[in-house]
Amino acid sequence: MPQYAVPTEPGLAPVISLGAAQKHHRGQVQSQQGSTVILRSSNLQADREVHRHIGINADLHLNDLHRVIDTCFELPGAGEGEDSEPWYFSQPGKDNSESEQLDRTRRIRDYLGEPGQQLLYHWGLWRITIETIDSYPRDAGTPQALCVGGSGGFDDADFNPSIINARLTGKDTIRRVLSHAVPNIRRIIERTRLFDFVALLQAIDLSRDVSLTPEAEKICRQLPLETEPRRIDAFWSTILGLSCLSGDELGDEVTETTMAALGWGCPQGGKLAGPAIRELCRDSLQALSSIGAYRSDALSVVDRLDIYRRLLRGA
């Protein structure tokens, strides 16, 4: 499992924990912004199982959690401003009965602040079990809520976290985050519709001050060195993969998925593999390596992240 993967149920793909990566970037410094909890949410029926893993600000209220769950499970009426079904939260009873309805204005951390704590979410006749499986400190760049994994659906549609996260993030936040990104990154997100990258850019915090050596600054201004569209896309896809700071396997998965979504593939069909993508932007990666941002003799995680931040936001 990748270094910053959130544990998931069997059959669910592991996903990046941006908060875990942020803790590593900042030398495990404790945040003053509260905590994010990772919630395992499941609806089990005789003919189907629907699972979602959700990262959410523990200082939000149960009323906010209701809206996030509706969006992540794509329940009818989600995001339309009006509830299509009655809903409430309860605590599992010791005798397997359900306790009385909880106050919707209470904070999530009051009931789900620690791993192992559980709630039940009732929506119409359906019931979703929610359990906290992890918690980590927040900082100013951590998204308020994010769907970080899942499987299944109520309408037999394919699980698409990018669409879900675009709805969770909201158009205004997407526009604000992308306004700090270099045009090539904005175009890649718009072309691929991979809005998960908005959360990554939030976590990286492109507005943060960066101090590079004169040589590193000079090289960043020159990149990418490639001029052919496919090679330029390969470079930026690789930078997005590297920015996850989650090891070669997951970095390749991000890079390969991005290039495939951009429409680039092998001449004989199928996705381009990570090594082939890196070969397309070899000159730029060699330049990155010369300033410690790639492969051998790499700088610390914090210093590499500053270089990636500088590239992603441009001048």
Side-chain angles (χ1 to χ4, degrees):
M1 184 173 288
Q3 183 179 2
Y4 297 125
V6 173
T8 59
E9 299 292 344
L12 277 68
V15 292
I16 303 168
S17 168
L18 298 178
Q22 286 176 311
K23 284 195 294 184
H24 189 75
H25 301 164
R26 291 160 175 76
Q28 308 293 337
V29 175
Q30 289 295 311
S31 167
Q32 302 300 315
Q33 303 288 332
S35 63
T36 288
V37 288
I38 303 297
L39 306 178
R40 177 170 53 209
S41 307
S42 303
N43 174 265
L44 307 180
Q45 301 181 39
D47 60 341
R48 76 180 69 200
E49 295 185 6
V50 184
H51 302 277
R52 297 290 184 267
H53 284 72
I54 302 166
I56 189 168
N57 183 351
D59 282 335
L60 296 179
H61 300 89
L62 293 183
N63 200 45
D64 301 309
L65 179 59
H66 143 67
R67 289 192 289 268
V68 169
I69 291 177
D70 283 9
T71 300
C72 290
F73 280 83
E74 300 179 277
L75 298 176
E80 296 178 3
E82 294 185 4
D83 298 317
S84 60
E85 293 286 342
W87 64 272
Y88 64 93
F89 288 95
S90 71
Q91 291 180 294
K94 294 181 179 180
D95 58 354
N96 292 325
S97 63
E98 294 157 6
S99 63
E100 61 185 33
Q101 298 183 23
L102 299 178
D103 181 353
R104 302 176 181 188
T105 65
R106 294 288 296 274
R107 296 188 186 276
I108 295 170
R109 58 177 159 79
D110 294 339
Y111 299 103
L112 295 167
E114 300 294 334
Q117 292 186 309
Q118 293 185 343
L119 279 185
L120 299 175
Y121 176 61
H122 306 260
W123 186 89
L125 298 178
W126 289 344
R127 188 177 74 175
I128 294 172
T129 302
I130 306 167
E131 180 180 0
T132 302
I133 59 174
D134 200 3
S135 174
Y136 54 78
R138 296 178 57 80
D139 65 20
T142 309
Q144 291 293 309
L146 201 64
C147 183
V148 297
S151 66
F154 292 117
D155 58 0
D156 296 323
D158 292 336
F159 169 62
N160 190 327
S162 288
I163 292 176
I164 291 171
N165 285 325
R167 292 169 180 162
L168 287 175
T169 303
K171 294 180 180 179
D172 290 343
T173 299
I174 290 173
R175 280 194 292 266
R176 176 176 55 79
V177 172
L178 293 184
S179 70
H180 294 290
V182 70
N184 273 304
I185 290 296
R186 292 201 299 269
R187 285 193 288 268
I188 282 177
I189 293 174
E190 290 164 359
R191 288 161 59 195
T192 63
R193 314 303 290 174
L194 293 175
F195 290 103
D196 295 347
F197 286 132
V198 175
L200 174 65
L201 298 178
Q202 274 187 288
I204 291 174
D205 188 6
L206 298 185
S207 64
R208 189 176 179 185
D209 289 337
V210 172
S211 179
L212 303 182
T213 65
E215 178 65 15
E217 179 66 31
K218 177 182 177 181
I219 287 177
C220 285
R221 288 181 179 275
Q222 295 171 344
L223 296 178
L225 301 177
E226 293 73 25
T227 57
E228 181 189 343
R230 183 175 66 149
R231 295 177 182 273
I232 293 173
D233 283 348
F235 170 75
W236 290 113
S237 297
T238 301
I239 292 300
L240 287 168
L242 291 172
S243 298
C244 294
L245 299 172
S246 297
D248 292 342
E249 182 180 351
L250 190 55
D252 276 355
E253 182 179 340
V254 171
T255 301
E256 292 165 6
T257 299
T258 305
M259 283 293 280
L262 288 167
W264 302 114
C266 296
Q268 63 272 31
K271 290 199 305 185
L272 283 167
I277 295 170
R278 290 191 291 274
E279 181 63 24
L280 289 172
C281 55
R282 178 180 55 187
D283 292 345
S284 289
L285 293 182
Q286 286 178 345
L288 274 182
S289 182
S290 73
I291 57 174
Y294 181 70
R295 292 301 188 197
S296 60
D297 300 324
L299 297 170
S300 69
V301 170
V302 173
D303 290 334
R304 274 184 284 145
L305 186 62
D306 271 348
I307 293 174
Y308 302 148
R309 185 181 288 118
R310 168 63 180 80
L311 288 168
L312 291 168
R313 79 177 184 196

